[in-house]
Amino acid sequence: MNIDGVPYRTIWLAEDGWRVCVIDQTRLPFRFEIATLDTVAAAARAIQEMTVRGAPLIGATAAYGVALAMRADPSDENLRAARAELLATRPTAVNLAWALSEMHAHLAPRPPSQRAEAAYARAAALCDADVACNRAIGASGVELLRATPPRDGARLQILTHCNAGWLATVDVGTALAPVYLAHDQGIPLHVWVDETRPRSQGASLTAWELGKHGVPHTVIADNAGGHLMQHGRVDAVIVGTDRTTATGDVCNKIGTYLKALAAHDNDVPFYVAAPSSSIDWTKRDGVREIPIEERSAREQTHVLGRGDDGALTEVQVVPDGSPAANFAFDVTPARYVRALLTERGVTPATERGLAALFPERAQAAERRE
C-alpha cells in the first residue's frame, strides 16, 4: 500500500540484508516511525508490546524472529528456544503458532550451517504468500459487495471493527481488502470505523490507512454500531479473525461478538475475512477452547493521545484505585456469521464448508485426532 505516494509493506529487511524493519504501530496515527529488530528478543517484544499487531503480521514477525535467532546461533537448542520465546508472546492469534510450525518444519531437518539462509528465505516466502492470500480474499469479497444493494440507494455502508487492513498483515489486508478493491473499482462506499477500545485500533489505525487510501469513512464509538443498523445505515459488517475453529466459530477483537448479535437482529450480513493461516483445525468449540488473552489493565485505564501542543500524552481515564479488566478478544459463534471470505473463495461458516475449501487441512486434522 502507499503512504503519501511511497509503497510500503509492514515488514521488510533493512539495507544490510539481515535486520528486520517494521512500522511502529504504537506511534500511529500521529507519527510514522520505523522500528528495527536485530534479535529474536526484539521480535518477541515487538509482538508482545504491539509494535506489530494483527494475526497475519504477528506470524510474519515471528518467522523473521526465527531467522534472526538462526543468524545468531543456528543450533538445535536455539531453534527450540526461539520458537518457545516467540510462541509465549501472545496466546490467541493462531497465525503465530502456524508460522512458527512452518519455520520449524523447514529448518529442523537442515544442518545448522544452512539454517540462517534458509530461515530468511522461508520467512520471505511466508510474507509473499500472505500478500497473495489477501489479494485473493479481496477478489472474493468484492463480488459480495458488488451484489449488495445499498439501503440508501446511493453508496454501500460498511461497518468494520478493530483493524484488519494492510497494517494487520504484510500488505493489502483481510477484511479491508474487498473494501480497497471496491473503492478502486469505483463502487461508491463509506466505512463506519469502530474506535475499538481499549487500544483504539479502529480510530488510530483503520481510520489512518483508509484516509491514506482516500476511502470515505467515519469513526464511531464502539457502542454506536447497533444504533446504525437499527436505522438502516449499515449494509454489511466485515471483520477479521485471530483464530477460526474448524466449525466456523470466530475469535476476534473484543466487541466483535456484540456487532454480530446486532447484525443478526437487523438482518445485516456479517462477514469474516479468514485466511487459512488463521484457521485452527484442532479446535471445534471457540467459546470453550480458544484461549483469550488478558492484557495489562493499564491499557484500559489510560489512553494515549496528542495534546494541543503536538506532544503525545498518556492520560488516566478512571478513578484512582478502580480495578480494570482487559480481555483482548471474544468469540462469535458460527451461527451469526453469514460467510467466511478465504483465499480459496467464500464459504458458509460451517465445518462442511471449510472442509470443502481446504480438504487437505481438514483431513490432516482428522488423522491427528
Side-chain angles (χ1 to χ4, degrees):
M1 304 295 285
N2 290 329
I3 302 174
D4 300 328
V6 179
Y8 280 92
R9 285 186 173 185
T10 55
I11 187 167
W12 66 95
L13 289 183
E15 291 185 359
D16 58 23
W18 68 270
R19 290 185 302 166
V20 180
C21 297
V22 296
I23 297 171
D24 185 348
Q25 298 189 31
T26 66
R27 313 305 285 173
L28 293 174
F30 308 114
R31 297 176 184 171
F32 180 77
E33 297 181 1
I34 305 302
T36 302
L37 314 177
D38 55 6
T39 64
V40 64
R45 282 194 304 273
I47 296 170
Q48 176 64 44
E49 298 174 3
M50 296 180 70
T51 302
V52 297
R53 25 73 49 212
L57 181 55
I58 287 173
T61 305
Y64 271 118
V66 173
L68 290 168
M70 293 299 92
R71 183 180 186 275
D73 174 7
S75 66
D76 289 348
E77 181 181 7
N78 199 44
L79 178 60
R80 290 191 296 269
R83 182 180 186 181
E85 181 176 4
L86 291 160
L87 188 61
T89 54
R90 300 195 66 186
T92 301
V94 76
N95 301 64
L96 176 63
W98 171 83
L100 291 171
S101 293
E102 289 285 319
M103 294 297 290
H104 189 269
H106 188 70
L107 299 175
R110 300 175 184 272
S113 61
Q114 297 179 8
R115 284 179 180 167
E117 182 178 357
Y120 277 98
R122 184 57 178 157
L126 292 180
C127 287
D128 289 342
D130 178 69
V131 177
C133 170
N134 297 336
R135 293 192 188 283
I137 288 173
S140 296
V142 75
E143 296 308 315
L144 287 178
L145 297 183
R146 191 183 301 280
T148 302
R151 299 186 186 208
D152 66 3
R155 59 180 181 174
L156 280 175
Q157 299 283 352
I158 299 166
L159 186 144
T160 191
H161 189 68
C162 195
N163 174 259
W166 72 275
L167 285 168
T169 67
V170 176
D171 203 354
V172 181
T174 56
L176 291 188
V179 173
Y180 286 131
L181 190 55
H183 173 78
D184 292 346
Q185 292 179 359
I187 298 175
L189 56 81
H190 168 267
V191 182
W192 297 106
V193 180
D194 283 349
E195 60 183 341
T196 320
R197 285 278 294 142
R199 291 289 297 232
S200 298
Q201 294 100 321
S204 62
L205 302 179
T206 299
W208 182 80
E209 62 172 85
L210 288 172
K212 290 295 183 183
H213 201 79
V215 178
H217 65 280
T218 303
V219 178
I220 58 173
D222 285 344
N223 291 328
H227 165 77
L228 292 171
M229 291 183 218
Q230 283 182 326
H231 290 269
R233 301 182 66 182
V234 178
D235 298 304
V237 180
I238 309 179
V239 301
T241 177
D242 286 81
R243 188 184 304 222
T244 297
T245 68
T247 56
D249 293 342
V250 172
C251 182
N252 194 51
K253 184 56 60 182
I254 192 76
T256 302
Y257 175 46
L258 298 181
K259 296 301 181 296
L261 290 176
H264 178 76
D265 191 49
N266 291 279
D267 196 28
V268 174
F270 183 90
Y271 299 125
V272 176
S276 58
S277 58
S278 69
I279 301 172
D280 186 345
W281 296 94
T282 71
K283 300 290 188 291
R284 302 182 58 81
D285 187 330
V287 174
R288 292 174 175 79
E289 295 183 60
I290 294 178
I292 299 299
E293 178 181 5
E294 295 185 42
R295 294 185 58 82
S296 167
R298 190 176 180 86
E299 293 180 353
Q300 185 71 39
T301 60
H302 291 68
V303 296
L304 179 69
R306 183 172 61 189
D308 292 339
D309 61 356
L312 298 186
T313 304
E314 188 178 64
V315 298
Q316 182 175 317
V317 294
V318 302
D320 289 339
S322 288
N326 184 9
F327 303 99
F329 302 93
D330 59 23
V331 174
T332 298
R335 62 183 177 274
Y336 297 120
V337 178
R338 182 73 59 90
L340 299 172
L341 317 182
T342 80
E343 69 267 33
R344 294 189 184 177
V346 179
T347 179
T350 63
E351 183 174 15
R352 178 175 294 182
L354 282 169
L357 283 185
F358 302 97
E360 74 285 2
R361 300 284 299 278
Q363 291 166 7
E366 288 179 1
R367 287 195 296 270
R368 285 195 297 271
E369 291 177 359

